[in-house]
Amino acid sequence: MITKRYGSKVQSVRVNFDANAMNEVGFQRDNEWSLATDEFEETYEKTEAHELTAAAEGDVQGEAEEKLLESLHEQLLAVEKTVGDDGVLMVESEQGVDYPKTRHTQTNKVVGNENRFYFRFTVEPPLRVAVYRKR
């Protein structure tokens, strides 16, 4: 289960990575699980921390960005699988502080006799997640 802090509660979220959105790396509350922050801190302890990042490149901007988000999503799911039944995966990146954003550079590439755009995407800063297990 993936969770995130919202004010005085820790709530379960689902991944919402969308290359067409203003904030491509996103999470939406799913209202399946919720716990007060104080109770969460008493019950769980941080056991692992991960910084997830990704990179992708290609001739088509949308496809390159989509590959980047797919890679980041796969990494997140791989970490989530290691959590087990006694823990939760917490998104620790905070909005307005260190929240990940896709960045890109665009260069010109000559293919045959034509100029073509070439796109490189990265995620900066990394998506910070941590594994919390019951004490």
Side-chain angles (χ1 to χ4, degrees):
M1 171 174 34
I2 302 173
T3 63
K4 191 172 179 194
R5 277 193 176 100
Y6 290 98
S8 63
K9 292 194 180 253
V10 174
Q11 297 181 334
S12 61
V13 295
R14 64 180 175 83
V15 176
N16 185 24
F17 293 175
D18 184 0
N20 298 318
M22 185 82 118
N23 194 7
E24 299 88 352
V25 179
F27 297 91
Q28 276 188 319
R29 289 181 248 199
D30 62 10
N31 298 319
E32 290 183 19
W33 185 86
S34 179
L35 197 61
T37 303
D38 296 341
E39 191 177 340
F40 180 83
E41 290 173 355
E42 291 172 9
T43 309
Y44 292 89
E45 66 181 338
K46 186 178 188 177
T47 58
E48 299 172 35
H50 301 272
E51 289 190 349
L52 308 178
T53 189
E57 54 187 60
D59 295 333
V60 179
Q61 182 176 0
E63 290 175 8
E65 190 172 15
E66 196 62 45
K67 278 195 285 189
L68 169 96
L69 294 172
E70 285 174 19
S71 173
L72 190 64
H73 189 209
E74 288 170 6
Q75 292 176 54
L76 186 63
L77 292 177
V79 173
E80 184 184 20
K81 285 180 183 176
T82 68
V83 173
D85 294 336
D86 66 333
V88 296
L89 183 63
M90 169 87 70
V91 175
E92 293 194 323
S93 296
E94 296 180 41
Q95 288 290 116
V97 179
D98 64 347
Y99 204 75
K101 183 96 172 110
T102 60
R103 312 278 184 206
H104 80 278
T105 57
Q106 175 180 313
T107 56
N108 288 325
K109 187 177 177 183
V110 178
V111 177
N113 292 330
E114 298 178 346
N115 286 330
R116 298 275 174 108
F117 289 133
Y118 194 75
F119 302 93
R120 287 186 179 85
F121 280 87
T122 58
V123 173
E124 292 176 23
L127 175 62
R128 292 184 312 109
V129 296
V131 175
Y132 284 80
R133 299 196 191 284
K134 289 187 177 179
R135 295 181 190 266

